[in-house]
Amino acid sequence: MGTKRPKAILISVGGTPAPIVFSLNHQKPEYICFFVSEETRDSIDKDILPNLNFRYRHYHWITTQSAEGLSECYRVLSRELPEILKKWKIDPKDLVVDYTGGTKTMSVALALATIGNSSSYTYVGGVERSKEGVGVVINGKERMWYLDNPWDELAVSERKEACLLFNKARYSAAAEIFAKTAEKVSRKYKAFFEAMRDLVEGYELWDKFKHREAKQKLYRSKKVIDATASISGKAELVSLSIKLEENLNFLGKLENAQAQRGLLLCYDLLSNAKRRAELENKFDDAVARLYRTIEAVAQFRLESQYGINTTNVKIAQIPNSLREKYKKKYTEEKGEKIRLPLYASYLLLKELNDELGQKFFQFYDKHLRPLLDLRNKSILAHGFTPIKEDTFKKMYSIILQFTGIEEDQIPKFPELRL
């Protein structure tokens, strides 16, 4: 760790002021917050400040009533430190924590109260101590120790928590953890956690059907993840890199393959529905997406094969067997537009001798209509009856059967295991 002058330092004070003076003179902070006991409070003005060889902007102190009471030390630090930093306009991540002085209890309290935000810790040791090497550091023999950033190790648990959240589709929470961790870890790890933040945010955008923005985020994250996977050789990162490439290929096709865009969107709807059901147990949401998929498949087939836009069907595009019925039933009140709902779209396909329309009606009466009735009674449609998991599974399976869509055509988000 370098010796750049810190903006602020929180330093504990014990019965020996010399190491405190050494630390402050070495680091030269702009702001100083002393953590003292009632017995050592006078040492600030008497022994420490007069011996500093630099100019500081301001100092303050936090006093514990019990230097041996962990709860008391932690409580007073947690209560008073944020207010002091706020007054000084100091971001907690710019605070250096020095636990040279004070009791062991005070040192533990310093770590517990600051570890959530701080990443810089120091203390003064020495090359010679009194009492045959087991006492205090001898004056003039002090040595400044800059400790490894504890967040480089703590990030392991943070990373695992973020992965668990991502795997449960809680993307915003996972992205926040990666973002905060990136601010705390050492520079050599920062790029990786920033890339993981971008990755999670990219998949969140995709989950909201914002495909172009998602592609940009994921592509940016992939460069760092690929490099990290190549250097580390970790199977989890290699697997993530492969899945990311696969997902980006799908998004690329979705953006560029205009002729197949409608079908690819149907695949994406099915993928989204599975996440709602399998990751969040939101079966009403999942079935709402399945219903939209059934509708979208028919819309895509009519438009791609017959040039029929279901929101504006021309009367000449309707076979004679359905023309009068559709004109009367589906013409909008204002104008001449004919707009077709789900069932009418499949009936039109059937009358056009389309295989998709024929397969739909092979499943409709016995299998699909009862499920659509349950959907219509759900709170996201026209009723208040919750959808059950079994309804989702049956509808999902039937959609694959009559549309001919294969499971491997449906995009899958990665499962993070880092």
Side-chain angles (χ1 to χ4, degrees), residues 2 62 95 111 169 204 220 231 247 257 277 296 305 332 364 391 412:
I62 297 173
L95 177 70
E204 182 177 26
R220 186 164 64 194
I231 294 170
N247 287 161
Q305 298 296 320
E332 294 183 342
Y364 184 73
T391 300
K412 297 177 179 64

Side-chain angles (χ1 to χ4, degrees), residues 81-99:
L81 181 61
E83 290 300 317
I84 294 172
L85 295 180
K86 183 179 179 180
K87 178 181 178 181
W88 289 344
K89 297 181 180 179
I90 297 293
D91 192 309
K93 72 175 184 293
D94 294 323
L95 177 70
V96 171
V97 180
D98 189 308
Y99 56 90

Side-chain angles (χ1 to χ4, degrees), residues 17 64-65 72 75-76 114 127 180 247 278 284 287 290-292 308 355 388-389 402:
T64 176
Q65 300 298 315
E72 160 61 20
R75 183 166 48 250
V76 70
T114 59
V127 293
K180 287 185 176 180
N247 287 161
E278 296 176 357
D284 290 89
V287 166
L290 292 185
Y291 183 90
R292 177 66 185 116
I308 298 175
E355 182 182 7
K388 295 180 180 179
E389 181 179 8
F402 83 79

Side-chain angles (χ1 to χ4, degrees), residues 368-398:
L368 193 52
R369 183 163 63 179
L371 297 173
L372 293 177
D373 287 342
L374 291 174
R375 173 262 171 190
N376 290 333
K377 294 175 182 176
S378 78
I379 196 167
L380 295 182
H382 311 296
F384 292 94
T385 304
I387 294 290
K388 295 180 180 179
E389 181 179 8
D390 187 57
T391 300
F392 164 78
K393 288 182 175 180
K394 288 179 180 178
M395 187 179 291
Y396 181 84
S397 176
I398 289 171

